[in-house]
Structures are given as structure tokens and as C-alpha cells.
Amino acid sequence: MTTRRPISSQPSTPLPNLDAPSSLSSLANAKEEKKSNTAPAVPAAVIYKLLFFTAAMVGGPIGTYYVCLHTIAGGSSTFAGAMAAIMANVVLVAYVIVAMREDQSERLAEEEKVRKGE
């Protein structure tokens, strides 16, 4: 059996009266005081790196597979597949290295700011 939940006719939090001029002016003042930050949350360089490595992760192994299949492997799909898997790992390791360097450069820049400030 299900239980009934009584629904109250009054909301739990009262809604502001927007017809009153004082509440409208307080809303307008609150908007004027609060500045909007329109800067992107992630720098454009990070987005470009991510797009590059995404394309490399898709195109690199597929391209490697077909190039190896028709030229190097002589029709052996096992060898071509293994080379494609190796290429995917190469792209992944390259991305990790780039990400670690970027993180390191941010840390070094913060340390330089602290050093100059002292």
C-alpha cells in the first residue's frame, strides 16, 4: 500500500513580492553590485591541446592500421592491429607528458611570483 503525503497550500519559503517598488530596487541594486565574470573557465590553449590529442587518438591508430595493413604488413591484420594499439599508447603517453609539463609550468610560475613578492 502506498502512503499519502499531505500537500500544504502554503509554500515552505515565502516568495518575494515583486509588485512592491522596494523589492524591485533592491534586486536592481544587487545586480549592479555583483560584477559578472565572463572569462572562460579553461584557457583556449588547453582546449586546443585537448582537440589535437583527441584527433590524434582517433586518426593516429586508424591511419596506422591501414598504412601498416596495405604497405608494411602485407595484408596481416594482426600485425596492423598491434601497430595501431602501439600508436594509441604513444598518443596517450604524449598527452600525459604534455599535461604534466603544463602542470609543472603553472607551479613554477606561482613559485616565481612568491619569490619576487618576498
Side-chain angles (χ1 to χ4, degrees):
M1 293 182 56
T2 61
T3 60
R4 286 189 167 183
R5 294 184 186 167
I7 299 174
S8 65
S9 61
Q10 294 286 344
S12 60
T13 56
L15 298 174
N17 185 4
L18 294 179
D19 295 334
S22 63
S23 64
L24 289 176
S25 64
S26 65
L27 287 174
N29 290 338
K31 286 184 180 179
E32 289 175 3
E33 292 173 6
K34 187 177 181 182
K35 297 278 183 173
S36 177
N37 185 6
T38 59
V42 179
V46 173
I47 299 294
Y48 295 143
K49 286 178 198 173
L50 183 63
L51 289 174
F52 169 76
F53 281 106
T54 300
M57 187 57 95
V58 171
I62 292 173
T64 301
Y65 175 79
Y66 285 110
V67 167
C68 285
L69 184 66
H70 296 298
T71 58
I72 299 170
S76 172
S77 63
T78 304
F79 180 75
M83 293 304 293
I86 290 171
M87 179 56 72
N89 286 311
V90 166
V91 172
L92 182 64
V93 168
Y95 178 73
V96 169
I97 290 170
V98 168
M100 286 175 56
R101 279 188 170 179
E102 181 179 324
D103 187 40
Q104 215 173 28
S105 66
E106 289 174 1
R107 185 176 48 89
L108 291 174
E110 286 180 14
E111 288 177 0
E112 188 67 30
K113 279 184 184 178
V114 170
R115 192 176 309 138
K116 285 183 179 180
E118 291 181 357

